[in-house]
Structures are given as structure tokens and as C-alpha cells.
Amino acid sequence: MRVLVTGGAGFIGSHVVEALAARGHEPVVLDVRQDPSADVRDEEAVARALDGVDAVCHQAAMVGLGTGFADAADYVSRNDLGTAVLLTAMAAAGVRRLVLAGSMVVYGEGRYECPRHGVVRPGPRTVAALDAGQFEPMCPDCGLELTPGLVTEDAPADPRNVYATTKLAQEHLAAAWARATDGTAVSLRYHNVYGPRMPRDTPYAGVAAFFRSALARGEAPRVFEDGRQRRDFVHVRDVAGANVTALEALGGGVAPGALTAYNTGSGVPRTVGETARALADAHGGPVPVVTGEYRLGDVRHITADSARLRTELGWRPEVDFVAGMREFAAVSA
């Protein structure tokens, strides 16, 4: 299968390219890192890249929480306009198979249960609560403490920042394209991806990359809030494998005419503090420092139930958390 990988020179995209080649497929890369004119928003560049292609793996995006609302236009342009240009070109070229790099940020907060009211959806945390060190969301009905759980793909979408909003819009665009063309589309909702080639020292890097960069400078990783935030850290090679699995399923394992979303995580929740400690241990210190600081717009807990991806497509993560963090601590970006 000849597969166009947008963003194929990036962190995740480059691993997808390697995984495709290892499975005997022919990856084709469209990435401004390799060619400044190869912008996914450029209709002519995209049309040329689609020549002879059987499927598209769309990884190109502006990623991360960002630095406020000032970069909203850039996010919308790169993520949503870029996706619209790509899908339009795919429709014209007769390419009917798409795997989209989705994200767990579309959910907002994760799944919570109240001992009195069952499953509830807490609203965004307030500045007053965060300033007071009240990091855990409370039941919106009675104010009791909530128990976090695994979020499934049928959870309501509730994006909490510009980046999250653009990732949800990408899914809606892909679903509309699939209905209009009878195409087959999958969104892999990545959880916290880490591993070799992860970018660092930018506002858009992941928390694991910030911790590693601090350790490389001989500094203690700074852990926000109380360090008990729960995330699902999944290795980039496992995510690349999920992309190949999904691409191979587009020919028969996934129904056409709609978009199917799959959580893509390890399935094992870890706290942010635990992750900082694992990296510090692998690096030989310094010990992480819990600061109590916070970023407005961050969610407290978001961990994946990836059972659908395992059950329907047969994907399994292979990289152990401790081994993966040890490797990550030892490599350069």
C-alpha cells in the first residue's frame, strides 16, 4: 500500500513512516521540515503528493496547549484549514482511506464517578479553587470528591482550549468527508505520547519532554499541582504501530461512510509525579520538585480505555512504562 504521511518528518510521523516501511508498505512524506513548500494548506502541493496514493495518514498539526488565545488563528489555519485542503484533494483524487492523528484532549476532563450521583461531568476548574490548592474536581451536584476512571470513546466531547477545539473540528471534517465520499476514516485519539525524537524546550512539548530537558540541564523536574494528575503515557513506537494497524484495517475492518474513533493509550494510568520520578530515577536524579503551580486550561485526570482498539483491530502496546522511560531518559530529541 502506498501511504501519504503528512507530517512524516515529525515526532510521531517519522515513526509511522518507519513502521509502514517495516510492514512492506511504501510511505510518501509531505512535511514542511523537508520541503518548505510542502505545506498541507497548499492545494497544489497536496494534489501532487496524492498521486498514486492508496491511503493517507494525517499527522501534520500544530500541537500542544499553546501559550494562550493569541495563537488561535495559527492553530485553526494549520490544523483545520490544512485538514480541509487535504480532504478536498483526497475527494478529487479518489483516495478513500484516512487515518487521522486525533487526541484525547477532545474529551476535556476524563471520566468521574460521584458516590451519590454516579457518573458526572465536572466543569472547568476555577482560578479560585486552583489558587487555594483544590486541584481535584468536585461533583457539580453535591460537591463531594469524585473518583476518576477510564474514558471511553462514547464520552461527550468537551474541548477546553483552542488546540483541543481544532482537534475535534478535524474529526468533524473527516466524518463529513467520509459521508460525502463513502470513504473510510479512523481517528486515533492519542493519549500522552513519549519517546525518541520528541520535541523539547517549546511551549508545545509534552510534560515528559520538559522533565527530561530539566534533568539534562542538571535541574530537578518541576511538577505542577500536587503531582497526582493521572495520565496515560504511551510509547511512540506503539502509537506508530496503531497507525499501521488502522491503515491495514481500512480495507475491510472499518466500516465506510463514517469516522470511527479509537482511544490510543497504554491502558495503565500513571500520575505526572510518578512519571517525573521514573525519568529522574533513569537519569540518576535530581529528585523532582512538586511546585503547586498550575496552568489554567489543563485538565486534572484523563486516562484511556483503549479496549475498542484492542478488541476490534487487535492492536496491543508492547513497550513497558519503566523500560520506555529509561530509553527516553537516555536519548536526545
Side-chain angles (χ1 to χ4, degrees):
M1 183 165 49
R2 183 176 169 89
V3 181
L4 174 63
V5 184
T6 69
F11 167 43
I12 297 175
S14 63
H15 286 277
V16 172
V17 167
E18 291 175 357
L20 283 165
R23 288 280 295 179
H25 300 295
E26 181 186 355
V28 177
V29 174
L30 179 72
D31 197 308
V32 291
R33 297 173 186 84
Q34 290 187 345
D35 178 359
S37 67
D39 194 309
V40 75
R41 295 167 293 182
D42 185 317
E43 296 177 10
E44 293 183 2
V46 172
R48 288 193 301 270
L50 285 169
D51 185 36
V53 160
D54 302 300
V56 172
C57 186
H58 185 29
Q59 303 293 319
M62 184 175 178
V63 300
L65 177 62
T67 56
F69 205 81
D71 48 10
D74 282 341
Y75 273 112
V76 172
S77 176
R78 294 174 186 269
N79 296 354
D80 298 337
L81 175 60
T83 299
V85 169
L86 173 66
L87 294 172
T88 301
M90 289 174 64
V95 180
R96 298 291 183 264
R97 300 179 184 181
L98 171 72
V99 171
L100 172 68
S103 175
M104 54 85 177
V105 295
V106 301
Y107 298 117
E109 286 284 356
R111 185 180 188 274
Y112 293 89
E113 285 196 34
C114 169
R116 186 176 297 168
H117 296 98
V119 176
V120 297
R121 296 283 296 174
R125 297 179 295 171
T126 66
V127 171
L130 293 167
D131 282 343
Q134 183 185 317
F135 301 122
E136 293 290 347
M138 300 298 183
C139 177
D141 297 320
C142 67
L144 287 177
E145 230 179 272
L146 301 174
T147 301
L150 300 180
V151 65
T152 57
E153 292 87 350
D154 58 359
D158 186 17
R160 299 286 176 92
N161 55 58
V162 173
Y163 170 64
T165 302
T166 65
K167 295 307 290 184
L168 183 59
Q170 282 185 313
E171 289 194 355
H172 288 315
L173 287 165
W177 166 84
R179 286 192 296 270
T181 65
D182 201 33
T184 306
V186 161
S187 177
L188 297 177
R189 290 176 175 168
Y190 302 158
H191 282 248
N192 291 73
V193 186
Y194 74 97
R197 302 175 211 149
M198 189 176 190
R200 60 182 178 182
D201 301 330
T202 79
Y204 312 106
V207 64
F210 282 122
F211 292 159
R212 184 185 63 176
S213 294
L215 290 163
R217 295 191 300 268
E219 300 171 3
R222 294 176 61 82
V223 179
F224 280 14
E225 301 186 18
D226 58 4
R228 296 174 184 169
Q229 313 92 298
R230 287 158 50 107
R231 298 290 187 269
D232 186 320
F233 290 90
V234 58
H235 197 278
V236 67
R237 287 196 297 273
D238 285 333
V239 168
N243 275 272
V244 177
T245 296
L247 283 161
E248 292 175 344
L250 294 178
V254 179
L259 178 135
T260 305
Y262 293 100
N263 286 335
T264 307
S266 72
V268 181
R270 306 281 180 175
T271 69
V272 172
E274 180 183 5
T275 302
R277 289 192 298 274
L279 281 170
D281 289 347
H283 192 271
V287 175
V289 174
V290 178
T291 69
E293 297 172 90
Y294 64 86
R295 292 196 310 178
L296 193 63
D298 276 357
V299 298
R300 178 62 175 173
H301 303 294
I302 176 70
T303 52
D305 182 344
S306 300
R308 177 184 291 179
L309 184 55
R310 291 163 168 76
T311 301
E312 294 186 7
L313 301 189
W315 171 82
R316 296 286 187 280
E318 298 178 356
V319 181
D320 171 75
F321 175 78
V322 173
M325 286 294 169
R326 187 182 302 120
E327 175 201 31
F328 184 54
V331 300
S332 59

